[in-house]
Amino acid sequence: MDMKKISIAIIVIAALMSVVLAAEKKESPKAAAPKAATPKAAAPAPASGATSTTFSVFGSLAGAFIFTFFGYYLQLKTYFVLKSSKSYLDSYYLKIKLQPYQTKSESHNPSAKWLISSLQSGASAICQSASSKMTTSVERAQYSDRVPIRSIILRPDGGSGLAGQQARVGGWVKTGRKADKDAFAFLELNDGSCAGNLQIIVEADKGDLGQLVLTGTCLQVDGVLKLPPDGKKQKVELQVEKVIHVGVVDASKYPLPKTRLPLELLRDYVHLRARTNTMGAVARIRDELSYATKRFFHERGFRYVNTPNITTSDCEGAGEMFQVTTLISEAEKSEKNLIKNPPPSEVDVESAKLIIKQRGNDVAQLKSAKASKQEIGAAVAELQKAKENVLKMEERSKLQPGIPQKDGKIDYSQDFFARQAFLTVSGQLQLESYACALSTVYTFGPTFRAEKSHTSRHLAEFWMVEPEMAFAELEHDMDCAEDYVKFMCQWLLDHCMEDMEFFADKIDKSCIDRITMSAKTPFARITYTEAVELLTEAVKNGKKFENHVEWGIDLASEHERYLTEVKFQKPVIVYNYPKEIKAFYMRLNDDSKTVAAMDVLVPKVGELIGGSQREERYDVVLSRMKEMGLPIEPYEWYLDLRRYGTVKHCGFGLGFERMVQFATGLDNIKDCMPFPRSAGRADL
Ligand code: 4AD
Ligand code: MG
């Protein structure tokens, strides 16, 4: 049983006991007297309050038992964690484990708040006393001799407990300066394991200080950790004993100076920008959110399914797909080949045919002259060769430059997959086939959209998290989406505070408040019709939108952001959209005008999630496809899912980079992706 469950159990038991006691007091008029309502008053049992006394005694005993048990459990857990630990660092992990309780103690329930905070302070005390007794030693990275900087400076003591320890560290110099008439240099070293740097001190006899202080220089050094002089902000620094490796930098050419470059400019150096504070933090946040995603779905019984990147069906039917073909490269190749090695002319073919004739005559003559078997065999082989040569020549004479055509159209039967194929815009359709077998599944992979929109929210290649659930309807879909977003927000608060504080400091002051609010506040839920009413009302009250508002429009980003940022000031789920603006697979509602679609809108970003209940009725989905002019043949397999063993099901897609944008507050989605691709640009 985990600690969370235990604390919940305690709260539930305490709540039950108070309910029972309250009921008891109601039954007995004397026990209901104001004084008897307090625990103290319950102790001297009044004659008619025998049952109440029994409960109070029972309550105290049960309470004592629970607290003892919990205290024992906590100590035991601490003991085992510390016993199995190799270093002081584990006590830090233990402290991290307790963090969720701290957040919960902000609950409005005073008894839960009191209970959790006392448990927490007890746990911290145990943690502190245990860690103070521990022998201190540095933590090596598992597959390297280096000590990750994170494991030094992110300890609760900032690394001071490691003073005196030998450590080998590696990283890239963020800033450096020489001091004391060039007798030594101070360097800020970062290895990407965390946002913070380790200060290292190198004396002049250990290396070329002029080189070492340059931003971007890679260093690996051995040294001793020591306490810095009082008044310094860092808790520990490394006195270098030996420089092991230097990856030099030519400062006149290195494009990333120590001063901050605008993010837009950094996009010209996607291969180097991971070394900047911002992109390093984005990379760690992405990793944490990926891990949180896997945890969220795995722990709820969803199976991870790998849907194809190359597909022959257009999921969204929006015609924004990148085509996958070898026809163009093949055409280029054959054009080059034809120039080098032109096809045979008709005359060449005719003369090759004459050779066949001659060889045939040779065979006939040898046979009539009763030549040896060997001689005849050799002549037959020559004849065969001549025939094969003509076949090849005829084949080559048909070769034409350019892309193969048939009946005036491109002949895709000659393409790599013998049909038209594309990069996927969503794994949903294929995922549905697994949901209709494994019930709850999800996929998390790259998706591609040939959208030419140059907005701060669109990429041509982005990652999408898509769950799909059978035996579930729109309400379940919205619940899952809300829980998932909340889970990720809480994860960031519990595991990424160092990086989140960086974003709050440098990029968007409100980012921590935004994710804290999103983790704790129930999302608003409104129908599309209500959303349009609210927007119309806003227009009446003087709000100016660039895009006209009326029932039937596809909500623009400005509308979405007004709803979530101004009207509700929290995430909003809009559902039941007009069928005309949504995809063919969404379930038609009884009004025949709207479909069971839902979008999750969040501040800063607008649409974060798009999802729906799927149309599981064969006839309805078929007529929707026809209505929308979709070709039926490529979707026959999809219709099979409705022909055989159909089931109500639903799902959604979360744009992963938009989630990163929501969390970090970065203005442009291109900075939320390591190697962004957008119209006109695909570096590396
Ligand atoms: O709303 P969308 O188009 O939904 C689907 O693709 C569904 N098939 C998903 C499903 O139900 N399984 O896209 C889902 C999300 C959007 O809400 C948005 O966050 C993100 O994907 N998205 C983009 N992110 C970055 N760049 C783009 N060009 C995006 N297009 C959509
Ligand atoms: Mg959408």
Side-chain angles (χ1 to χ4, degrees):
M1 200 175 356
D2 68 13
M3 289 157 79
K4 196 169 165 185
K5 284 181 193 154
I6 289 183
S7 58
I8 290 168
I10 293 172
I11 294 162
V12 170
I13 291 171
L16 279 175
M17 285 191 331
S18 20
V19 170
V20 174
L21 279 170
E24 195 59 36
K25 278 167 215 147
K26 250 190 188 172
E27 274 171 29
S28 148
K30 277 187 190 163
K35 263 191 161 186
T38 66
K40 272 186 205 154
S48 58
T51 330
S52 181
T53 312
T54 317
F55 262 107
S56 301
V57 171
F58 169 73
S60 313
L61 281 174
F65 171 74
I66 289 163
F67 280 101
T68 315
F69 172 73
F70 192 77
Y72 178 69
Y73 168 80
L74 206 60
Q75 284 189 36
L76 210 65
K77 193 166 175 102
T78 312
Y79 171 74
F80 280 118
V81 169
L82 298 180
K83 189 167 176 264
S84 63
S85 75
K86 280 178 245 73
S87 84
Y88 182 85
L89 195 66
D90 286 343
S91 66
Y92 172 56
Y93 292 143
L94 182 68
K95 222 174 156 208
I96 284 177
K97 280 197 153 204
L98 292 167
Q99 260 182 18
Y101 297 91
Q102 187 147 31
T103 324
K104 292 253 166 59
S105 72
E106 282 159 26
S107 145
H108 294 303
N109 180 341
S111 57
K113 191 172 171 176
W114 171 82
L115 180 67
I116 291 163
S117 64
S118 13
L119 289 173
Q120 232 230 328
S121 51
S124 296
I126 295 169
C127 182
Q128 265 173 20
S129 73
S131 58
S132 66
K133 282 178 207 149
M134 288 184 69
T135 54
T136 54
S137 63
V138 291
E139 280 283 302
R140 282 225 188 122
Q142 213 172 343
Y143 305 109
S144 165
D145 291 339
R146 78 186 175 99
V147 176
I149 290 175
R150 175 190 178 84
S151 70
I152 300 172
I153 63 172
L154 279 200
R155 292 160 40 107
D157 64 357
S160 59
L162 293 174
Q165 293 291 312
Q166 287 283 138
R168 172 172 291 186
V169 298
W172 290 263
V173 173
K174 284 272 171 193
T175 58
R177 67 182 168 88
K178 290 192 250 182
D180 199 14
K181 294 185 186 146
D182 298 353
F184 60 89
F186 289 110
L187 312 176
E188 292 284 321
L189 203 67
N190 184 278
D191 66 358
S193 61
C194 60
N197 307 321
L198 177 68
Q199 174 153 291
I200 69 170
I201 300 151
V202 198
E203 285 159 349
D205 61 342
K206 304 286 186 312
D208 175 0
L209 298 190
Q211 175 61 67
L212 300 190
V213 293
L214 297 178
T215 301
T217 302
C218 179
L219 270 189
Q220 194 175 26
V221 294
D222 279 340
V224 181
L225 290 164
K226 67 180 184 79
L227 298 176
D230 283 345
K232 288 226 180 173
K233 74 171 192 282
Q234 62 272 16
K235 296 277 177 12
V236 75
E237 55 192 21
L238 187 87
Q239 180 73 46
V240 172
E241 292 181 334
K242 191 174 175 196
V243 175
I244 307 220
H245 164 78
V246 182
V248 297
V249 153
D250 179 346
S252 65
K253 291 186 183 150
Y254 188 59
L256 307 181
K258 62 181 163 192
T259 47
R260 282 183 80 201
L261 282 183
L263 291 170
E264 202 176 351
L265 213 85
L266 278 178
R267 281 177 225 140
D268 292 342
Y269 306 100
V270 280
H271 59 303
L272 290 173
R273 70 174 184 164
R275 293 187 198 174
T276 62
N277 294 337
T278 309
M279 294 313 295
V282 166
R284 286 185 293 273
I285 295 271
R286 281 185 72 96
D287 171 59
E288 288 290 344
L289 287 175
S290 305
Y291 183 61
T293 295
K294 302 232 157 163
R295 284 279 297 264
F296 178 84
F297 288 110
H298 189 82
E299 285 170 3
R300 285 156 187 76
F302 286 71
R303 295 291 174 188
Y304 178 46
V305 173
N306 303 108
T307 48
N309 288 334
I310 297 172
T311 177
T312 50
S313 3
D314 180 0
C315 174
E316 294 304 301
E320 290 168 342
M321 304 179 91
F322 287 103
Q323 195 166 348
V324 179
T325 178
T326 54
L327 286 181
I328 298 166
S329 53
E330 287 295 327
E332 279 174 353
K333 236 192 270 172
S334 75
E335 258 169 54
K336 272 187 205 157
N337 215 354
L338 287 176
I339 294 167
K340 236 176 142 183
N341 193 4
S345 64
E346 263 181 48
V347 180
D348 296 335
V349 178
E350 282 313 309
S351 45
K353 281 181 181 166
L354 274 179
I355 295 176
I356 296 181
K357 231 179 178 178
Q358 277 172 14
R359 298 281 180 268
N361 288 342
D362 292 348
V363 173
Q365 272 176 16
L366 287 169
K367 277 185 179 167
S368 63
K370 298 216 163 64
S372 70
K373 247 187 181 177
Q374 249 178 347
E375 277 177 308
I376 295 173
V380 168
E382 283 299 312
L383 173 64
Q384 200 54 37
K385 243 195 232 167
K387 281 181 180 171
E388 279 167 16
N389 188 35
V390 166
L391 279 179
K392 268 191 206 155
M393 286 176 84
E394 279 177 336
E395 192 72 10
R396 276 187 53 74
S397 70
K398 282 187 216 150
L399 284 181
Q400 298 233 341
I403 290 169
Q405 307 264 330
K406 196 176 175 187
D407 305 331
K409 288 185 184 160
I410 294 174
D411 182 7
Y412 285 106
S413 67
Q414 294 194 43
D415 202 350
F416 188 90
F417 298 107
R419 59 187 298 181
Q420 255 186 307
F422 306 90
L423 290 179
T424 186
V425 295
S426 158
Q428 177 201 321
L429 301 189
Q430 289 87 352
L431 200 58
E432 280 186 54
S433 78
Y434 269 71
C436 294
L438 277 75
S439 302
T440 38
V441 290
Y442 77 105
T443 189
F444 179 19
T447 46
F448 309 86
R449 295 196 183 176
E451 285 178 283
K452 286 225 163 154
S453 39
H454 288 275
T455 78
S456 58
R457 308 184 315 144
H458 288 89
L459 288 165
E461 178 179 333
F462 63 98
W463 282 64
M464 216 200 294
V465 179
E466 299 182 87
E468 195 69 33
M469 304 171 275
F471 310 103
E473 302 182 28
L474 189 66
E475 195 77 9
H476 300 115
D477 209 28
M478 294 195 271
D479 290 347
C480 179
E482 180 168 344
D483 283 354
Y484 170 45
V485 174
K486 284 190 149 70
F487 184 89
M488 282 195 288
C489 291
Q490 190 61 50
W491 189 274
L492 292 170
L493 295 171
D494 292 344
H495 302 273
C496 310
M497 274 319 267
E498 194 206 14
D499 286 317
M500 286 308 301
E501 274 162 8
F502 166 81
F503 286 113
D505 184 32
K506 301 277 191 258
I507 305 288
D508 174 5
K509 276 189 189 66
S510 57
C511 69
I512 296 181
D513 291 344
R514 190 168 55 236
I515 57 166
T516 309
M517 175 271 290
S518 304
K520 294 180 199 311
T521 320
F523 294 4
R525 293 188 188 188
I526 54 168
T527 62
Y528 168 88
T529 305
E530 285 164 343
V532 170
E533 280 165 10
L534 290 173
L535 293 168
T536 313
E537 193 183 294
V539 172
K540 270 192 202 144
N541 293 336
K543 172 80 191 151
K544 297 233 176 318
F545 292 119
E546 277 179 22
N547 300 277
H548 175 65
V549 178
E550 66 176 333
W551 200 94
I553 57 152
D554 203 355
L555 297 185
S557 171
E558 56 174 346
H559 304 137
E560 295 171 345
R561 292 187 65 171
Y562 171 80
L563 291 170
T564 176
E565 288 169 9
V566 182
K567 186 74 201 168
F568 289 96
Q569 299 180 6
K570 62 177 181 175
V572 183
I573 308 183
V574 180
Y575 61 97
N576 289 350
Y577 282 76
K579 64 175 181 174
E580 286 77 14
I581 56 168
K582 289 291 180 186
F584 74 94
Y585 54 73
M586 299 188 178
R587 193 178 200 276
L588 192 64
N589 285 326
D590 291 345
D591 60 11
S592 294
K593 279 193 204 154
T594 60
V595 284
M598 64 100 186
D599 278 3
V600 179
L601 316 178
V602 294
K604 179 82 201 174
V605 166
E607 182 191 335
L608 172 67
I609 286 179
S612 67
Q613 184 172 338
R614 318 308 187 189
E615 183 54 80
E616 85 285 4
R617 297 163 294 186
Y618 175 81
D619 295 337
V620 185
V621 76
L622 185 65
S623 74
R624 287 273 288 141
M625 286 167 74
K626 287 183 179 161
E627 213 174 280
M628 296 174 91
L630 288 178
I632 305 301
E633 187 276 329
Y635 296 96
E636 280 297 347
W637 67 270
Y638 187 72
L639 291 170
D640 270 356
L641 301 176
R642 277 78 185 157
R643 281 189 190 105
Y644 314 121
T646 194
V647 61
K648 280 190 176 172
H649 62 289
C650 59
F652 62 81
L654 170 135
F656 194 67
E657 286 68 31
R658 291 203 185 167
M659 181 64 209
V660 177
Q661 200 174 8
F662 171 56
T664 59
L666 283 161
D667 280 331
N668 199 313
I669 198 166
K670 294 188 183 91
D671 302 318
C672 299
M673 178 75 156
F675 301 97
R677 273 87 181 84
S678 56
R681 189 127 194 210
D683 294 2
L684 268 63

